[in-house]
Amino acid sequence: GLAQYTVEHSHYGETDMAMLLALALALWLMAAAADGRRRGLFVLAALAAGAAAATKFTLWLLLPPIMALGLTLKPAGSERHPLRSAAGWALAGLAAFLAGFVLMMPEVLDGRWFLDALAYERARVFGEGSLNLGPFGADPGMRRSLHTWDLLRHARTLGAGWLLLAALGLPDLARRERRRFWTLTLLFPFLFLYYWIYRAPWVRSQEFMVFLPGLALLAGLGAAAGWRSGRLAMRPAVLVLAAAALGGSAINGCRAASLFAWTDTRVLARRWLQNRLTAGRGVAAESYVESAWPGVAREPPIAADKVERLGLPALSGQGAEYLLRAASITGRGLRHPLTQAL
């Protein structure tokens, strides 16, 4: 709850916080099902995973771990027909996953609309991802390098304490009593890591939040492993790392929260335009600043995308006398993806 991106995205009216809550619930239920080998918990875990996939379609990557968990669950009474039981529980997991998806997103029942919307969104996000890379849009190596760099950049927001505790927790996954949780501790994180680097059209802080439950689990395992190691110096070291992890996340989270105490600059711009912009004056607006336009009894602004791409003469030729800039968006294919040089 203290992680920077969790605090930031809790202020937005988007599905990302619902995604994180549903994902954490699904993973917790998967752990409970694997620990107790209980059928009811497994079905609940599959339902929660399907609901999570409806909040963020990339979480369809939860389906293979759910089916793998069904294949390896081995609940009481399955010893007489192990293969039939494993196949049955894998299919039950698939059915419950699909049910959770439909319950959370009933629009999917309109198949034609859903497939058309899915195709449109896929083309849009992959097209925008290529646009952001500029001349490197068709270079898969550049995309993979950028996504790897972004993973490291986002991980830095967690702080050294959290990351060191997570690193200490990795060897603990090899312990015999931890192996039954492999579907959520190993399979799902590796599937999402593969998607992040090789398959994603773009990666942002929203997508990085998918790693947070796993990193929190690893940090907890690392702290527990260090505490019970029996070495005299380890317990003070664990306390220091835990304080650094919580303190660093709290500081970053508070910094992110403090930004939302400021008035959005688009609101300030809209107020200024309402009071000072006379009728008939042409205004161009870059992407994401359209909400700064007063919009009452005025012509809509001229779409400018990024002025560096279109050029001022092109906007002037359309009658633009003023330009609303998206100052925080400096790229959109205009800069080198890794060096940010123009």
Side-chain angles (χ1 to χ4, degrees):
L2 295 175
Q4 174 181 325
Y5 294 141
T6 306
V7 174
E8 177 187 347
H9 286 279
S10 65
H11 289 79
Y12 301 144
E14 298 175 343
T15 63
D16 301 297
M17 289 306 298
M19 174 275 295
L20 185 57
L21 175 62
L23 172 63
L25 176 62
L27 293 175
W28 177 75
L29 287 170
M30 288 175 65
D35 191 32
R37 303 184 186 279
R38 295 170 60 184
R39 299 177 176 90
L41 286 175
F42 171 69
V43 172
L44 286 176
L47 278 169
T55 64
K56 202 82 167 180
F57 286 1
T58 51
L59 292 189
W60 271 84
L61 291 172
L62 282 168
L63 181 56
I66 284 290
M67 296 191 69
L69 179 57
L71 288 170
T72 58
L73 190 61
K74 297 180 181 178
S78 64
E79 296 83 2
R80 287 179 295 179
H81 305 285
L83 292 179
R84 188 167 63 187
S85 176
W89 282 110
L91 290 175
L94 172 61
F97 184 97
L98 295 175
F101 184 80
V102 172
L103 285 172
M104 184 62 75
M105 190 178 183
E107 295 86 352
V108 73
L109 296 175
D110 184 350
R112 178 67 177 271
W113 171 86
F114 178 74
L115 292 176
D116 288 346
L118 193 63
Y120 169 80
E121 285 298 317
R122 185 181 187 281
R124 183 185 67 83
V125 296
F126 275 91
E128 192 166 351
S130 296
L131 172 68
N132 292 343
L133 290 175
F136 301 99
D139 182 356
M142 177 58 73
R143 187 186 301 272
R144 291 193 291 267
S145 297
L146 178 61
H147 290 183
T148 303
W149 174 253
D150 282 340
L151 178 63
L152 299 175
R153 179 172 59 87
H154 291 314
R156 288 178 58 194
T157 66
L158 301 177
W162 188 337
L163 295 177
L164 285 172
L165 283 176
L168 286 175
L170 280 172
D172 198 65
L173 297 180
R175 295 178 61 192
R176 185 180 183 85
E177 61 267 29
R178 308 290 190 213
R179 294 174 191 172
R180 61 181 177 273
F181 303 109
W182 68 277
T183 55
L184 63 139
T185 59
L186 295 175
L187 180 57
F188 175 68
F190 277 112
L191 285 174
F192 193 76
L193 181 63
Y194 174 82
Y195 167 79
W196 175 287
I197 295 176
Y198 292 98
R199 307 301 299 175
W202 59 32
V203 288
R204 304 161 297 174
S205 57
Q206 297 98 307
E207 285 78 31
F208 180 76
M209 290 198 298
V210 173
F211 290 110
L212 291 182
L215 289 170
L217 172 64
L218 284 176
L221 291 176
W227 190 263
R228 66 170 179 265
S229 67
R231 297 178 183 176
L232 184 63
M234 277 302 295
R235 290 192 172 184
V238 166
L239 291 175
V240 170
L241 286 176
L246 293 173
S249 292
I251 291 171
N252 283 345
C254 288
R255 285 173 174 170
S258 68
L259 296 176
F260 292 90
W262 302 356
T263 302
D264 192 308
T265 54
R266 291 170 293 188
V267 175
L268 298 175
R270 184 169 64 245
R271 292 173 182 170
W272 190 94
L273 291 169
Q274 286 173 335
N275 295 329
R276 293 174 175 81
L277 184 65
T278 58
R281 309 303 292 269
V283 176
E286 291 187 336
S287 299
Y288 296 100
V289 296
E290 297 88 347
S291 57
W293 181 245
V296 179
R298 299 180 189 273
E299 292 295 320
I302 300 164
D305 185 36
K306 288 299 291 183
V307 66
E308 292 90 344
R309 181 177 291 110
L310 296 178
L312 285 174
L315 294 176
S316 298
Q318 298 180 63
E321 299 178 65
Y322 298 94
L323 173 66
L324 286 172
R325 288 274 279 165
S328 62
I329 300 176
T330 59
R332 295 296 181 192
L334 300 171
R335 296 176 180 271
H336 190 283
L338 297 178
T339 66
Q340 293 300 301
L342 284 170

